[in-house]
């Protein structure tokens, strides 16, 4: 590689890169030069510049913009100097020169722009004169210069300086001494690098870091907030800050926490801020932030009329304020508010920093809220499990029992250990067959919920324990199946009670059957001796009637009459017991055909009483046709029998569709029934009249009831006493598959 030839102007350019702040190593690498070489160039360059100041020769008339004293014609080094001057002039960073006496010699355009000062007004002035409004800045520069004069070389230091728009900038000041022809230090060249951005980024990071730590160390929002507000205010020089959030009880936003510098007037202002609640709106400070969700900046509190607390704030010596929302996504949870004692113009960076903190606080509030809700829900769950006699269980994806609450062992006395980690069907349950388990397992594999699944399990201290479990599948956020969870309950007692009940029921059924049998046998067998009583009494009367006196004959009439009645009663009783024992299988029958037959049977009574019987078209029903006939005959027979004195009976057999069943009615215009007897009349031998008034034994409606019971229907009566009665009975409809 050919070695590049360096002319003085190119060398000057390289040195200026270094003066701009570029690191030495980077420059050497870029231009492929050695550090020693670079350093010697820099030394030469600075020495030449210095020499030009120190030269007693006055410059030519041509005026240099950078250094009025620096324009010379002639040799090679003056050419290098000219290039250097031009470069310095157009450099985008502020550069200045200062003589050994501390007076400024010149500066470039960037310097003018940075400070907003004409360079003419600055040449010949010292730092103390230039920074008379900021003595601490002057002192710092002064000290650095003194140090350089004592130990020539380079120095760099950070400093905050006020610039033309009044804002404070962070700067990195870089200074290097140069020597005059006599070899003594003649002055210095300085550059200013603005590091405000970097400083602010560091500052913001430091604040966010502090806030993060405060939030992570605190249990509550209230506990963390004073520290968070202090972190912001202290780092950035603001006087006080507050947090606002929704107070559900007060129904508005309230100032919850505050921090301020130690100042009784500001403390009084903050105390007053705590007193009222506000609604989101379009004016004011906090109200507007809550209403719009956007930050609000007030430069002069005293001039902002819509700011309700403005006067108090101004009285406390506060001047500027800004507030920003505490957000969680789109939701505005509250606001942060800060006050400064001096006038502060809206500052993008400050707002961004505040918004970042607002977001941190927002997530923290949301997290605390979620934690609170979780705690509440866990407490509820704990109470539920503690107070319930049921236990709670969980199963993994493989249906293996992974958790069983302690209530299980308390209730059942069974050691849960052998069940944990196993599937339900890994342990025997005498009540369940292989097929039962298979069905249950298939249900779980389909991830369906299940209810009241009953299992009999071996128990150490009893014969067995009956368990009933219900469960539901659990899915994670990705809808992936994660297992089952559910509850279980000990149903041993219920099972035992059911057993007892079943035994009692069986016993009842058996004794009922016996009774039925007895009633049948008794009524059947009683008929014979009764017939004998009847016929022998009649024989007695026929043969010996003449020999008996009037009383004896009358007594014998009573015997005959009694025997006849008893015969009727026994026959009725027999008919009643036949309903249960001699019933036929239920099958579809045409109710219409049954009614037609009944009306033929009743023709005599109908004609005799002058009754009219009408009816709706009757449907097909599932019934024992003989018993249905018996039922209709009893009801229509009664309607004729219990007719009124003045009117011929009018009887209507109706039917209505009542959903799953047919509702039949038999209505008459007879004597009616008083409501208190509506139920009694359906019992065996219950009648409301003497035999002289209306004949009968009181068994007809009892038979009707028994028939209807057998047909899974209901029977009842409605009546207006003296006007007529309406008997209702229902029969289930024929289901499709039965037809
Ligand atoms: P019985 O007709 O033999 O008296 P039932 O069991 O058929 O016996 O009727 C019981 C009682 O219900 C009757 O004695 C009568 O008082 C009353 N009853 C039944 N049907 C009617 C009706 N259609 N109108 C008025 N009362 C009735």
């Amino acid at each position: 590689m050919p070695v590049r030839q360096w002319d003085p102007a190119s060398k000057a350019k390289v040195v200026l890169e270094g003066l701009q702040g570029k690191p030495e190593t980077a420059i050497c690498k870029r231009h492929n030069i050695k550090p020693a070489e670079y350093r010697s160039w820099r030394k030469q360059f600075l020495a030449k510049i210095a020499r030009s100041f120190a030269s007693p020769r006055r410059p030519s008339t041509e005026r240099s913009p950078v250094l009025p004293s620096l324009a010379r014609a002639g040799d090679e080094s003056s050419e290098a100097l000219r290039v250097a001057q031009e470069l310095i002039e157009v450099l985008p960073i502020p550069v200045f020169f200062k003589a050994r006496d501390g007076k400024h010699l010149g500066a470039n355009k960037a310097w003018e722009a940075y400070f907003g000062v004409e360079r003419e007004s600055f040449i010949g002035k010292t730092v103390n004169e230039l920074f008379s409004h900021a003595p601490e800045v002057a002192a710092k520069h002064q000290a650095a210069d003194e140090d350089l004069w004592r130990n020539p070389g380079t120095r760099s230091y950070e400093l905050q300086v006020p610039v033309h728009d009044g804002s404070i900038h962070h700067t990195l000041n870089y200074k290097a001494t140069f020597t005059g022809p006599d070899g003594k230090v003649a002055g210095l060249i300085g550059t200013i690098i603005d590091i405000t951005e970097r400083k602010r980024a560091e500052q913001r990071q430091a604040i966010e870091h502090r806030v993060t730590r405060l939030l992570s160390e605190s249990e509550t929002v209230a506990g963390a907030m004073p520290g968070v507000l202090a972190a912001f205010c202290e780092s950035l020089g603001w006087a006080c800050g507050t947090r606002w959030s929704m107070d559900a009880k007060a129904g508005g936003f309230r100032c919850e926490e505050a921090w301020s510098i130690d100042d009784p007037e500001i403390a009084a202002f903050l105390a007053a801020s705590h007193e009222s609640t506000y609604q989101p709106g379009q004016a004011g400070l906090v109200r507007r932030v809550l209403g719009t969700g956007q930050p609000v900046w007030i430069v002069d509190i005293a001039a902002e009329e819509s700011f309700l607390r403005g006067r108090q704030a101004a009285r406390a010596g506060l001047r500027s304020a800004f507030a920003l929302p505490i957000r969680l996504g789109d939701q505005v949870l509250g606001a942060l508010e800060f006050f400064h004692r001096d006038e502060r113009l809206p500052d993008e960076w400050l707002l961004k920093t505040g918004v970042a903190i607002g977001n941190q606080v927002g997530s923290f509030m949301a997290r605390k809220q979620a934690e609170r809700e979780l705690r509440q829900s866990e407490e509820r769950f704990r109470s539920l499990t503690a107070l319930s006699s049921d236990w709670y269980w969980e199963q993994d994806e493989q249906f293996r029992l992974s958790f069983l609450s302690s209530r299980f062992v308390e209730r059942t006395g069974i050691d849960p250990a052998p069940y944990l980690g196993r599937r339900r069907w890994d342990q025997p349950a005498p009540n369940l067959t292989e097929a039962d388990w298979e069905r249950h397992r298939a249900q779980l594999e389909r991830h369906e919920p299940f209810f009241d699944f009953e299992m009999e399990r071996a128990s150490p201290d009893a014969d067995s324990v009956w368990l009933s479990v219900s469960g539901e599948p659990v899915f994670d956020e990705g809808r992936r199946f994660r297992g089952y969870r559910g509850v279980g309950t000990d149903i041993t007692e219920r099972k035992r009670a059911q057993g007892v009940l079943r035994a009692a029921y069986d016993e009842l059924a058996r004794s009922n059957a016996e009774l039925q049998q007895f009633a049948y046998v008794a009524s059947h067998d009683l008929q014979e001796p009764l017939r004998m009583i009847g016929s022998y009494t009649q024989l007695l009367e026929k043969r010996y009637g003449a020999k008996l006196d009037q009383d004896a004959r009358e007594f014998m009439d009573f015997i005959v009459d009694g025997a006849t009645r008893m015969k009727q009663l026994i026959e009725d009783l027999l008919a009643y017991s036949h309903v249960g024992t001699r019933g036929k299988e239920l099958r579809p029958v045409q109710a219409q055909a049954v009614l037609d037959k009944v009306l033929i049977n009743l023709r005599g009574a109908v004609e005799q009483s002058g009754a009219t019987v009408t009816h709706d078209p009757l449907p097909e029903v599932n019934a024992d046709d003989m018993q249905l006939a018996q039922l209709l005959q009893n009801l229509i027979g009664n309607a004729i029998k219990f007719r009124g004195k003045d009117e011929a009976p009018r009887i209507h057999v109706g039917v209505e569709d009542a959903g799953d069943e047919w509702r039949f009615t038999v209505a008459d215009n007879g004597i009616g029934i008083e409501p208190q007897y509506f139920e009694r009349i359906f019992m065996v031998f219950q009648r409301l009249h003497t035999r002289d008034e209306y004949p009968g034994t009181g068994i007809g409606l009892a038979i009707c009831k028994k028939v209807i019971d057998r047909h899974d229907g209901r029977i009842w009566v409605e009546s207006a006493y003296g006007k007529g009665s309406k008997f209702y009975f229902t029969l289930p409809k024929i289901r499709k598959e039965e037809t």
Side-chain angles (χ1 to χ4, degrees):
M1 202 166 91
V3 177
R4 182 172 166 186
Q5 291 302 310
W6 290 94
D7 60 75
S10 311
K11 287 182 189 171
K13 269 191 213 164
V14 173
V15 172
L16 280 165
E17 279 181 37
L19 292 178
Q20 261 184 67
K22 195 165 192 174
E24 190 180 288
T25 46
I27 295 171
C28 292
K29 203 168 162 209
R30 180 164 170 222
H31 298 294
N32 195 20
I33 51 174
K34 297 205 169 65
E37 209 172 354
Y38 164 71
R39 268 180 232 140
S40 83
W41 293 358
R42 189 175 66 191
K43 206 169 157 196
Q44 278 170 15
F45 174 81
L46 291 171
K48 264 184 208 142
I49 293 177
R51 229 174 287 130
S52 69
F53 294 122
S55 163
R57 275 185 289 150
R58 273 344 290 160
S60 72
T61 48
E62 198 188 326
R63 189 171 164 271
S64 157
V66 183
L67 283 174
S69 58
L70 265 192
R72 279 190 307 168
D75 58 5
E76 190 193 77
S77 67
S78 76
E79 172 58 14
L81 205 56
R82 195 187 56 76
V83 173
Q85 277 186 31
E86 277 169 19
L87 284 169
I88 292 173
E89 175 65 1
V90 297
L91 270 182
I93 52 161
V95 177
F96 65 90
F97 296 89
K98 203 185 263 186
R100 174 65 185 81
D101 59 7
K103 289 187 176 149
H104 284 86
L105 296 167
N108 67 353
K109 246 200 209 121
W111 192 97
E112 277 189 318
Y114 192 69
F115 287 100
V117 181
E118 293 274 319
R119 38 193 152 176
E120 279 73 17
S121 67
F122 130 98
I123 289 169
K125 299 234 171 88
T126 63
V127 274
N128 287 327
E129 288 163 331
L130 284 174
F131 289 104
S132 58
H133 56 291
E136 63 290 346
V137 174
K140 185 96 193 251
H141 281 312
Q142 186 69 39
D145 289 359
E146 294 297 339
D147 185 30
L148 264 174
W149 301 146
R150 272 195 304 277
N151 301 298
T154 58
R155 294 286 185 288
S156 63
Y157 55 93
E158 287 182 19
L159 195 61
Q160 292 188 40
V161 292
V163 297
H164 61 95
D165 64 356
S167 63
I168 305 286
H169 279 224
H170 293 268
T171 60
L172 178 62
N173 293 258
Y174 180 87
K175 286 176 178 171
T177 52
F178 55 81
T179 49
D182 54 0
K184 287 190 183 146
V185 172
L188 61 82
I189 176 170
T191 61
I192 296 167
I193 297 167
D194 193 296
I195 53 166
T196 309
E197 281 300 308
R198 198 187 78 208
K199 274 280 156 192
R200 291 194 137 191
E202 278 170 13
Q203 220 169 3
R204 176 164 163 184
Q205 208 174 23
I207 295 172
E208 283 183 20
H209 186 75
R210 199 166 142 194
V211 168
T212 306
R213 215 188 51 226
L214 283 163
L215 294 179
S216 68
E217 284 168 358
S218 180
E219 273 309 304
T220 59
V221 185
M225 274 328 283
V228 170
L229 297 168
F232 188 89
C233 292
E234 283 175 342
S235 316
L236 303 171
W238 286 66
C240 66
T242 60
R243 181 185 75 109
W244 296 69
S245 77
M246 184 66 192
D247 180 343
K249 239 184 271 161
F253 283 83
R254 177 186 283 288
C255 173
E256 299 287 357
E257 302 89 18
W259 179 90
S260 82
I261 52 168
D262 192 9
D263 181 316
E265 280 173 14
I266 296 180
F269 161 66
L270 293 177
S273 293
H274 280 294
E275 272 158 26
S276 339
T277 54
Y278 294 98
Q279 299 299 332
Q282 295 300 320
L285 183 58
V286 167
R287 283 177 296 147
R288 190 140 55 123
V289 168
L290 296 170
T292 60
Q294 297 300 322
V296 172
W297 193 289
I298 301 178
V299 176
D300 186 2
I301 288 168
E304 179 77 35
E305 277 182 18
S306 76
F307 183 32
L308 298 175
R309 291 170 297 140
R311 201 170 299 161
Q312 288 165 303
R315 255 206 308 275
L318 300 169
R319 187 78 191 275
S320 292
F322 77 98
L324 46 94
I326 299 175
R327 282 178 170 282
L328 183 74
D330 291 345
Q331 213 187 339
V332 177
L333 303 179
L336 296 179
E337 176 193 52
F338 298 97
F339 293 86
H340 204 289
R341 291 217 261 203
D342 301 330
E343 184 175 291
R344 280 280 174 264
L345 296 175
D347 180 335
E348 251 333 284
W349 173 80
L350 206 61
L351 279 177
K352 276 197 189 130
T353 307
V355 166
I357 292 173
N359 291 345
Q360 271 182 291
V361 173
S363 331
F364 183 74
M365 284 166 69
R367 196 174 74 231
K368 288 290 150 193
Q369 173 71 19
E371 280 173 11
R372 206 167 33 245
E373 278 164 14
L374 189 69
R375 216 171 19 248
Q376 276 171 359
S377 123
E378 271 173 1
E379 274 161 15
R380 260 183 237 131
F381 176 73
R382 237 200 315 281
S383 308
L384 191 72
T385 44
L387 298 174
S388 156
S389 58
D390 295 355
W391 57 85
Y392 173 78
W393 56 264
E394 284 174 8
Q395 269 175 2
D396 64 13
E397 301 92 319
Q398 304 292 319
F399 314 122
R400 288 178 302 222
L401 190 64
S402 53
F403 176 80
L404 195 54
S405 70
S406 57
R407 187 52 51 103
F408 173 77
V409 62
E410 287 165 28
R411 292 284 299 166
T412 63
I414 298 177
D415 175 14
Y419 291 93
L420 285 166
R422 302 261 176 87
R423 296 175 184 88
R424 205 163 275 136
W425 44 87
D426 291 341
Q427 301 281 359
N431 67 315
L432 297 171
T433 63
E434 275 305 311
D436 291 333
W437 279 128
E438 213 32 69
R439 261 195 302 282
H440 180 59
R441 191 184 174 142
Q443 194 172 22
L444 298 193
E445 271 158 8
R446 288 195 300 272
H447 302 161
E448 286 172 1
F450 64 91
F451 303 96
D452 304 325
F453 183 73
E454 296 184 358
M455 291 175 289
E456 194 180 358
R457 295 291 202 196
S459 140
D461 45 35
D463 298 343
S464 64
V465 170
W466 280 84
L467 315 177
S468 169
V469 289
S470 301
E472 59 174 14
V474 180
F475 300 96
D476 64 14
E477 308 82 43
R479 292 298 300 154
R480 263 196 314 271
F481 174 69
R482 280 277 165 256
Y484 268 85
R485 68 174 159 233
V487 290
T489 186
D490 185 332
I491 54 161
T492 312
E493 277 308 309
R494 194 172 84 203
K495 278 283 164 188
R496 247 169 232 150
Q498 271 174 7
V500 172
L501 208 64
R502 169 139 301 275
Y505 175 82
D506 291 347
E507 174 59 22
L508 202 67
R510 196 185 52 75
S511 69
N512 239 348
E514 264 175 18
L515 204 66
Q516 196 106 291
Q517 187 64 14
F518 170 78
Y520 173 74
V521 171
S523 44
H524 187 266
D525 293 2
L526 277 175
Q527 278 178 320
E528 186 47 31
L530 198 61
R531 244 195 310 277
M532 272 174 64
I533 295 172
S535 44
Y536 280 98
T537 313
Q538 277 164 354
L539 200 61
L540 209 60
E541 197 183 12
K542 217 190 271 169
R543 294 230 189 127
Y544 304 101
K547 293 181 189 152
L548 296 174
D549 65 8
Q550 182 61 27
D551 273 0
R553 270 204 303 281
E554 210 170 300
F555 293 165
M556 275 197 307
D557 281 348
F558 286 142
I559 294 173
V560 173
D561 190 37
T564 316
R565 241 183 334 125
M566 196 157 175
K567 184 169 169 275
Q568 185 62 50
L569 279 172
I570 286 169
E571 272 169 11
D572 286 351
L573 208 55
L574 206 54
Y576 180 77
S577 81
H578 280 164
V579 176
T581 55
R582 298 244 175 118
K584 291 193 291 181
E585 211 184 309
L586 309 190
R587 53 166 59 101
V589 294
Q590 295 298 337
Q592 185 64 60
V594 176
L595 177 67
D596 292 343
K597 239 181 251 163
V598 167
L599 291 178
I600 293 170
N601 292 349
L602 288 173
R603 191 156 51 198
V606 170
E607 276 168 10
Q608 206 181 335
S609 61
T612 42
V613 183
T614 55
H615 62 83
D616 294 342
L618 301 188
E620 190 180 45
V621 292
N622 208 29
D624 171 336
D625 58 346
M626 294 293 285
Q627 292 186 344
L628 183 58
Q630 208 171 1
L631 169 86
L632 287 171
Q633 192 156 329
N634 283 348
L635 293 178
I636 299 169
N638 278 350
I640 297 171
K641 179 160 68 174
F642 298 105
R643 61 178 174 270
K645 295 228 162 23
D646 315 321
E647 271 183 292
R650 270 181 286 109
I651 302 158
H652 182 75
V653 181
V655 69
E656 266 174 59
D657 187 336
D660 287 347
E661 53 190 19
W662 293 111
R663 189 160 59 223
F664 289 84
T665 50
V666 177
D668 63 46
N669 60 341
I671 60 171
I673 305 164
E674 288 176 89
Q676 66 265 36
Y677 303 120
F678 283 178
E679 305 223 339
R680 215 172 93 182
I681 53 172
F682 292 99
M683 293 180 194
V684 180
F685 300 139
Q686 293 295 330
R687 340 194 41 239
L688 307 178
H689 310 277
T690 61
R691 272 181 302 117
D692 301 337
E693 288 174 288
Y694 299 98
T697 57
I699 205 132
L701 289 179
I703 288 176
C704 291
K705 169 128 180 51
K706 208 166 174 192
V707 166
I708 282 299
D709 282 349
R710 229 197 119 216
H711 285 74
D712 284 335
R714 285 165 296 121
I715 182 164
W716 71 100
V717 68
E718 281 173 11
S719 170
Y721 188 55
K723 293 198 175 132
S725 311
K726 194 169 186 180
F727 283 82
Y728 291 82
F729 64 91
T730 64
L731 289 174
K733 276 189 184 164
I734 299 175
R735 273 172 297 158
K736 285 279 171 301
E737 57 267 35
E738 288 172 350
T739 52

